[in-house]
Amino acid sequence: MTVFLVGLAVGLAAAWLGGLLRGRAPAPPPRAARDPGVGPHLLPEPALGWLLRAHDALGVWVSELSADEEGPRAERVVDGDRLGVAQIQAVDRRLERARDREEGGAERLDAGTLVFRAAGGFAVGLLLRAGHDVASLHQAEHDLERLLEGVRRRPQVVALAQAQTQAASLESVGSVGLRLAYHLERCLDAEVLVAAAEAGGVRVVGVSGRGDRRLLEAVLPPDAELARVARGDRPQMLTGGDALGGVVADRRHREGAMLLVPIAVGSEPPVGAVAIHLPRGEEPFGPARAELVEAVTKAGPPLSRALEAERAKREATTDLLTSLPNRRTLQDRMRQHDVESGALIYADLDNFKQLNDTLGHAAGDSALQHLARIIREQVRGGDTPARIGGEEFAIWLPRASLELGMRIAERIRIKLGTTPWDWQGRHWPLTASFGVSACPETNDQVANLPAQADAALYVAKRSGRNRVEAAGTGAGR
């Protein structure tokens, strides 16, 4: 497996750098979503320095929320001879807004033209000198798409590397799924998803580099073809439809077909399944087919062991519907002795009873899972998002300020309101209300934050819903 990781790293690096440093002819439209050649292990150096020199630019930025800091963190390489402190700070602030609003574009600043992209809590930017031509602008946009994809994949690559230091019996479900997805993508030159069959449903536990990361941790509809194969209701199959059952509302239909292969241990019922996107609709054959069969067969035992271990842990610590931590886990995290400050967000879906009464409880469950996915995408790596009952969620942000808690709550509110959700073809707008408390700003004891956040949430509901309120205030956002 160490050889596989080295091969993966070298392949990613070579493919990315080859594209990044090639001649600067007019570039085709960005293709990062389907290009496997991104090497997040190279960030922030030397990749940012290479980008700066390749474009003869004034600066390159990566902006993200750090898991252990109270504010945004900017990784940047700049030309200090041509940029002043105020100009650098202006770009920092602009990328922070772009990250929170998930914006992209090109803007003229005093120092030059800032090209930027943002998604999933990250923003990247390239400050070009005045006088650039259209071709160089297109190439900058193309390279930024690939840089953004790289920083978004960085947690996956880190998790993949960390998984190899553990014995196979100690692997998590996610590490088995991620390893299998990346291995099959390399062998078959195809986008791969891995799903695991659990008591709460069939969950996507592995997404290869080319895949849509929004699918990771998604619980598939029971009648989705991939879910049926993972449970053993259907045998291996080739399908041209949506094998995922529309789990991501705005996911476009992919050309070609998907090969669905069950993952099992011997003659036992499947413990999961693999979905392989085949653009030309042709199944693998010869050595590629043999590699597929061997990889899926070897993945069966470790996936089965990991599912059994996680099942025991999940019953005590996790909400089965959303796969988020439960109230008990949230309380344990907030009681950690080394954390004496932080922000707590309470969130509640608006008009949830009306949704349940109109569309049914299955639709309500789907809406809760939708909000849980958005929350998971928008928080920092060290935060604890939890479902604490019914339609109510909480997010603990250790060492975060009240201002940062308000900003993250607002980010989730906007994302929920602008991400389409429907149930069996019927569109239903979703909104949520939020209450935020923080230690030491609203109380000097972490233990008192839940009551304050709940009171602020009540104010948000009473004030018209779809808003963010801070504890002890009467003005929301």
Side-chain angles (χ1 to χ4, degrees), residues 90-268:
V91 177
D92 287 346
R93 290 192 296 268
R94 182 63 188 95
L95 287 182
E96 182 180 332
R97 293 197 303 272
R99 186 200 63 239
D100 291 345
R101 301 173 184 176
E102 297 200 349
E103 297 175 333
E107 292 184 7
R108 185 67 63 88
L109 303 180
D110 291 341
T113 299
L114 177 65
V115 186
F116 56 96
R117 292 288 185 272
F122 294 90
V124 296
L126 189 64
L127 186 60
L128 301 177
R129 294 185 304 164
H132 60 274
D133 56 24
V134 175
S136 63
L137 182 62
H138 286 331
Q139 188 61 53
E141 293 172 342
H142 174 56
D143 287 347
L144 281 180
E145 290 281 357
R146 303 179 76 177
L147 178 61
L148 178 61
E149 188 68 14
V151 296
R152 293 183 67 192
R153 290 182 194 175
R154 181 162 47 183
Q156 285 184 307
V157 172
V158 171
L160 181 62
Q162 290 174 341
Q164 310 315 311
T165 65
Q166 305 175 20
S169 60
L170 299 179
E171 279 191 287
S172 68
V173 172
S175 66
V176 175
L178 183 62
R179 177 164 51 85
L180 180 59
Y182 268 89
H183 178 63
L184 289 179
E185 179 182 80
R186 179 179 62 86
C187 297
L188 305 176
D189 191 26
E191 175 186 335
V192 180
L193 302 177
V194 179
E198 303 171 316
V202 176
R203 176 170 57 103
V204 177
V205 298
V207 178
S208 69
R210 303 184 196 182
D212 186 341
R213 289 199 65 216
R214 295 176 301 170
L215 294 170
L216 196 60
E217 298 298 323
V219 178
L220 302 176
D223 58 350
E225 290 177 333
L226 179 56
R228 298 178 68 187
V229 173
R231 291 194 306 265
D233 298 340
R234 294 284 301 271
Q236 176 177 314
M237 62 182 298
L238 186 69
T239 176
D242 179 13
L244 307 181
V247 67
V248 175
D250 59 345
R251 180 175 165 83
R252 297 179 180 177
H253 176 71
R254 307 293 301 276
E255 296 295 330
M258 293 195 82
L259 176 63
L260 310 181
V261 182
I263 304 172
V265 181
S267 59
E268 296 294 321

Side-chain angles (χ1 to χ4, degrees), residues 299-313:
L303 181 58
S304 178
R305 289 192 296 267
L307 283 170
E308 185 61 33
E310 286 199 0
R311 186 176 299 114
K313 180 179 179 181

Side-chain angles (χ1 to χ4, degrees), residues 352-367 421-430:
F352 185 69
K353 184 178 184 303
Q354 180 184 359
L355 186 157
N356 263 339
D357 293 344
T358 304
L359 300 182
H361 290 287
D365 289 348
S366 176
W421 178 84
D422 59 48
W423 179 252
Q424 297 178 346
R426 178 171 177 177
H427 177 68
W428 188 282
L430 295 177

Side-chain angles (χ1 to χ4, degrees), residues 8-21 36-51 53 62 75 77 146-147 149-151 153-155 157-158:
L8 173 63
V10 172
L12 289 173
W16 188 42
L17 295 178
L20 195 61
L21 302 178
V38 180
H41 57 287
L42 295 173
L43 299 173
E45 283 284 12
L48 299 189
W50 290 335
L51 265 178
R53 293 188 291 274
V62 176
E75 301 170 351
V77 176
R146 303 179 76 177
L147 178 61
E149 188 68 14
V151 296
R153 290 182 194 175
R154 181 162 47 183
V157 172
V158 171

Side-chain angles (χ1 to χ4, degrees), residues 237-368:
M237 62 182 298
L238 186 69
T239 176
D242 179 13
L244 307 181
V247 67
V248 175
D250 59 345
R251 180 175 165 83
R252 297 179 180 177
H253 176 71
R254 307 293 301 276
E255 296 295 330
M258 293 195 82
L259 176 63
L260 310 181
V261 182
I263 304 172
V265 181
S267 59
E268 296 294 321
V271 293
V274 170
I276 305 164
H277 178 231
L278 306 172
R280 294 186 294 274
E282 300 174 356
E283 293 191 36
F285 61 91
R289 181 73 181 189
E291 185 78 19
L292 167 62
V293 172
E294 181 181 6
V296 171
T297 300
K298 287 184 176 180
L303 181 58
S304 178
R305 289 192 296 267
L307 283 170
E308 185 61 33
E310 286 199 0
R311 186 176 299 114
K313 180 179 179 181
R314 187 183 307 115
E315 291 176 356
T317 63
T318 305
D319 173 61
L320 294 181
L321 177 65
T322 63
S323 296
L324 290 178
N326 59 16
R327 182 186 292 272
R328 174 181 171 182
T329 303
L330 175 72
Q331 292 172 342
D332 289 343
R333 301 279 176 84
M334 293 183 67
R335 292 184 186 128
Q336 291 179 346
H337 297 298
D338 61 335
V339 179
E340 299 178 351
S341 65
L344 180 65
I345 302 171
Y346 268 27
D348 192 284
L349 268 179
D350 296 328
N351 302 311
F352 185 69
K353 184 178 184 303
Q354 180 184 359
L355 186 157
N356 263 339
D357 293 344
T358 304
L359 300 182
H361 290 287
D365 289 348
S366 176
L368 293 173

